[in-house]
Structure formats: structure tokens, C-alpha cells
Amino acid sequence: MGPTRPSMQELIGRRRRAGFVGRIGERAAFRANFGLPAEDERHRFLFHVHGDAGVGKTRLVRELEQIAREAGALTAYVDESVAGVPEAMTAMTRQFAAQGRRFKDLERLLAAHRERRHEAAAALAPGAAEDREGPSAGSLAVARAAQAGLGMIPVAGAFAAALDTDGLAQGADRLRARFRSQEDAQLVLSPEQVLTPVLLSELAGAADAVPWIVLLLDTYERTGPFLDPWLHDVMTTDRYGALPADVVVVTSGQHPFDTARWGSFADFMTDLPLGPFTEEEARGLLADKGVRDEPVVAEVLRLTGGLPVLVSTLAESGPVGPGDVGDPSATAVDRFLKWERDPVRRAAALAGALPRRLDEDAFRSAVDDSADQAAESLFAWLRGMPFVGERGGRLQYHDVVRAPMLRLQRLRSPGAWTERHTRLAEAYGGRRARAGADLRPDEPWADEGWRELRLGETYHLLCARPRAALPGTLADLVTACGYGDDAVRPWVRVLAEAGEDTDAEALRTWGADLAAALADGGLAGLLRLLLGRARGDEPWRATAWALRADALARDGAPGPALEDYDRALALDPALVRAHRGRAVTLGGTGDYTGALAGLDRVLELEPDNAWNVVLRGEHHRLARHHAEAVADLSEGIERDPAGEFAWASRGAAHERHGDLDAALADFDRALALKPDYAWALARRARVWRGLGDQARRLADLDRALALQPDWAWGRCERGDALRVNGRDGEALADYDRALELDPGYASAYASRGASLSGLGRHEEALADLDRALALNPGYPWALETRERVRQRLADRALPPT
């Protein structure tokens, strides 16, 4: 017995699913694409839906998702509820899991990303308590990177690894030394560098089990600024690895695709411009809703201009005569709610437009109705309306409907407008306070849920009293800068949205200018704009200078960073984060005397923070002050035995001092706390070298490089281990990779020269050793090795006796 074929009724039901009509050509093109193998030149890898607000882009994208699922595809939908690439990946993994496909490795890294961001935030919080959780899993590297901003150099290796390599004392190596773990630092500073290769690997695994994978990126006019460059790299370059050919991407926004970036990709994509419904499509939707009377249909067509969201909204009323439809010049109530005879529902629909994102709690505050049954019933009715949709797990009015409803309320009664937004701000403030009650003092800003409530409170304060609320909003924006781009974007957006919704030009201008500054110059550019417009008495200026210094140092500009730290301290001599950032930036330039003096001041200001003791101990270690380093690191361990960095740092101090048994014990303890601690593995390999155990040395380096394959210092270390075991050919591969990652790595040139000479390739060896000494003229081992190679060349040139 063959498979059961669908009935005509079932097929018709599918075509009319959820009342979807029209867009026949767009749906057909998308459906047909699944009938073409990826190798077929007619197959398209990207579809871009675009058109003005209200033309039905989101409804079409959701329909395309359903078509994809019917073709057996694994799908994920992303919209403006995400604020960055990691959040987009989180949304994808959750939806994949709901379809039975877990991306476990990516889920683990995303959880680590959130944890590292939280640790960085906690470590940088002023006055963090002594009893806070210890700096686990890379928080020192994160704190240095995030606060002192020594930059996520693409070839960054373990924390201070390069400085302890013989002869590596130049500036680039000192910068590389600031990171104890490349992955931990990148998870905060450049998370897409770590996460995207894992996403592509997971997608490749899923592609073996499903015929297609479809990623749908909606509201691209808002998400495109951060998703578009990433997506272009993923789809058109091998920067992160290979994207399976069975992946199809759908993007949707108000604007056509960026031809400057994607022009060469035109042959592989389909452009889907959307306009208002044709008359035939609009009539079809109305007929599907039972609206067939010609005078009524004509009035709907005249009033809506064919915008699908408006046609759907008016069709829901089932108007029986033209008078039930409304007049084109009518107010928002007459346009969208004239069909609703219940004045309570009409008022509720207007009030529900006030919050940016709608949930039942916000709705109750908006309607000022604490009667559970009435509010619950009204909310259930409202969420079923065509102009209310779900995005990011929350309800939201369609912009085409919400904007005139807001305008009506603002113009009709400015006093009621202010009163309602004030009430909503107070409600959000109360929810925020309750959410923060269970958080430590250093945690709220690192908590996304708390921040979302703060954003809601801020939006309503700005709508109620724009001028009065602006200074506090800018102060919050400065605070958000300490938590990365993903935390900042929603604050920039809320200023722009409040400016539009309350028609406040100052807010609109701030939102637009801040968005442009962030896009063009990152956090440093945004903070430069803020500081340039500061009046001079804002209390956040010192913190803003310190945060801008962090960003500058992160971008590899320690000189300007130090100038900005000085500006911050001139405004607030007791600002701990500025002292700490300045100290670590000095350490990154090799000025350990200045760094240690700064850290002494940090401990004077914040003596109960064990983190500061560990930080000073690490700088003593880098300065080769053995006794002081061990004393500080031991105190840090006593205060926080669970902080694996302090154990590993003390192990490195013991190893440098020649106390190999103590070093081994400390590294073992660090690795018991964090088994995938690549830097501790690589440093323990040096202990095995000192103990003459070459097998364990290589085993630890192999494990470290399995965790961090793109680690120049680790590659050079393993190359050295292979070389001393007479495996020069294998060593060359590691040296070559180290120099691909870091072309200015003097030690790798010198070591490769030694291996080349060992293989009899003396001329090549001499060139590498010359290059090493050009980079580091005072490199003793390279000088000695070059002399030996020159002697071998001279001996080879001598005539036989």
C-alpha cells in the first residue's frame, strides 16, 4: 500500500494557511529552489525580501519558513529582538533544539560567552565585594582585555606566555602576553571569531541529517548593521570555515540589499521586492474573511492602499457597509478600531500601543486595570488582532498601526500621555527593582533580563519628559559601554525610538548620531561623540574617559589610551577602573614599574578585592620579582582557592625560578579546576621539559593546541619540543603556522632557522635567523645559532683536504 496522498481539502488548507494570500510568485520561486540541487547553477543561496513597512514582509518570511519545513528543512528565525551575533546564534540554537537537533558544542560556547561577559562585568564593577565568586575560567584575561583594553590580537596566545619565552621581549609579544587564554578573551572581545567556526561545523553535521537548512533573518534594517558584515564573511569567504552548500538564507528588511558589499554575489541570490497587495490579492484576502460586498471592498481598498496589515486589520471586523470601514482622514481609532463597538476594548487597544514590547504585566500597567479577569480577557483579545505579532518571544504592535495610535494619544491629550508613560515607567522600575533584589551589587548590568526592564523604564521616562530624562539616559548609556556592543545597541535604539514616538527632535538626533558613531568608530567613536557633547558637569564623564581608554587600548593604541586614563583620573582621582586600566596598559607596554605603582594605588582604594592582589602578583611575575609575585599570588589563592588563574600564574613563577616540583603542583591544581586550560597545559609542558620528560611535554602541548589551534606561541613551543627530539621536519609545520599567525614573531623565525639548519638547509636557516635578529637585535640564542650556521656554511665551502 503506497503512501497516503493529501486530499484537495488539505492542499487548499495549506495554501490558505493562517489566512495567507497573495505573494504567489515569491512563494513559488522559494519552493522551486528546494527542487534544485545546490550544484545547479539555477539554485539560489540567498533570498532578500524588502519593502516599506506594512507590506507584509514578516508574514511572507514566516510563510517561507513554513514552506522550508515542508521541504524537510531545519529552520531558524531571527529578528530585532537580538542585539548581536552571539544573541542571533543563541536564538538559532534554541530553535534547532526545538526541532530535535541540538548544537551542543555551540550551546556550550554560547553559555561560556555569557559567563565570561558576566565575569568581566563583575570583575570591573567598582567596589566589587571580596566574597564574590572568584575569577574562574579566564576572568583575569577578560578583565585585562575588557578594562585595560590591550587588544584582541588575532594571534594572541596565553597570558604572558611570550614574555617568558627566551628573547621575546618586544612590544608585540608583550601585547600578546596579556591574554591568559585566547578563547576566553575572544569570547568577550570578538566572540564571533570563536563561535562562528563552531556554528559552521554544527551546520555541517546537521546537513548530513536533513536535506536543507534555512536561516531567516527578519527586520534586517535593524539587525543588518551587525549581522550583514558577519553574514557576508560566512557566505562568501572562508574566514570562519566552510558553510554547507545546503544552507539557504532569507533576509528581510525595508531596504534593498547593499550592492557595494554583495554586488558580486548577485548571481547567487534572488531579490524579492514587495509592494502593497495588488487589488486581486487584497480582494482575495477580504473574500477569505467573508468581506465580499463591493461597496465595502472598494472602501477598504481606498482606505488601506493595499497594505496587507491594514487590509487584514479591517477585514477582521467583518464590516457590512462602507460606513463601518472608516474615512481615510479619520483618526487612528476610526481607521483601525471603528469596527470595535466596545469602548473598553477600543481604549485597551490604544493603551496597549504605548509599551515598546507588550506582555501582560505591561498591558495591565498601560490600562491601569488590576482586575485579573478583565485584564486577562482584554489581553487575550488584543493578542489575537492582526496588527499584534510575536517577536523574540514578546508581543509587538505593527509599526504601521502603532505609530498613528501613539500620535493620536500624544496630540489628543498631552497630559494623559505624560501620566500614562510615567505610570508605565514606575511599573517597569518596580519590576526592575524586584529582578535586581536577588542579584549582587555588581551583577545587574551584566544581567540581560534586568537590562531589558531598565530599557523599558527608560523608554517611558523619555516619552513622558524627554528633556528631563535625557541626562539619566546618557549616563546609563555610558554604563552600558562597559558591557560591550551588544549591551550598547539597545540603548542607542531606545533613544531613537523614543524620539520618533514622542516627536522629540533632540532624542531623534541623539539616536541617529550615536548609531552612526557606533557603526563607524565602535565604542571609542560613540564615547568620543558623548564626551564631545558633554556640558562639563555630567557625573559620567570620568567613567566615559576611562571606557574610551579601554576601547583605544583594545584597538592597539596604548598611547592615546593612557592620555584618556589621565583625563579620567583628573576628573575623579579615586576612579578604580581608570587606575587599574592605566596600570595594565602600562604593563602591556613593558613598563612594569609604572604598572605596579598603579596597582599599589588600586589596592589602596579597593583593598578588599582579592582580584587586585592577583593582578599585582601577575605583574610582579612579569617583572621577574619572584618573591613578591609568589607572595601576592599566594594571598590571592588563600582568598579564592577556586581561581585557577592564580594557581597557574604562581606555577609559572615557580617554573621560572627553577622550583619545578612546586610549579608542577600548582599547574596540576589549576588544571583540576579547569581541565581545558590551554595556557596551563602549555606552561606545564615547560616543567616537563625541565624534568626531562619529553613525552609528557609533547602530550601537554598537543592538548593545548587541540584547544587553541591558532595560537602562535603554542605552535612555537611545540615546534621547539619536536626539534629537540630530532623531528625537525614536523617542527617546521608548527613554525610555519606560528609565522602565518604572527609574521613578527622573532622566536619562531629563530627556531625555524635552527630546524632548517638541522635539515641541512643552511641558506634558508641564515635568512630566518637574520629576520629574527632584525626584529630583536639583542636575541642571544639567535646570535649564537646564526654563528653556528655561518660556520657550517663556511665548513661546507672549504675544499676537501
Side-chain angles (χ1 to χ4, degrees), residues 752-762 765 769 785 788-789 792:
R752 189 172 71 174
S755 276
L756 286 168
S757 181
L759 293 169
R761 296 158 62 179
H762 302 304
L769 289 160
T785 305
R788 289 195 296 270
V789 173
R792 289 170 187 163

Side-chain angles (χ1 to χ4, degrees), residues 413-485:
S413 178
W417 170 270
T418 298
E419 188 275 329
R420 284 186 169 183
H421 278 293
T422 300
R423 185 171 68 240
L424 279 161
E426 291 170 351
Y428 270 102
R431 292 169 64 183
R432 174 181 58 81
R434 290 189 293 275
D438 296 330
L439 300 174
R440 294 193 307 267
D442 56 325
E443 285 187 320
W445 276 94
D447 184 88
E448 292 179 11
W450 184 95
R451 286 204 311 266
E452 183 62 31
L453 292 170
R454 180 73 166 183
L455 276 169
E457 178 185 11
T458 299
Y459 169 78
H460 291 295
L461 288 172
L462 288 167
C463 287
R465 295 178 177 84
R467 185 182 298 274
L470 180 59
T473 303
L474 295 179
D476 278 356
L477 177 63
V478 170
T479 302
C481 287
Y483 298 82
D485 291 8

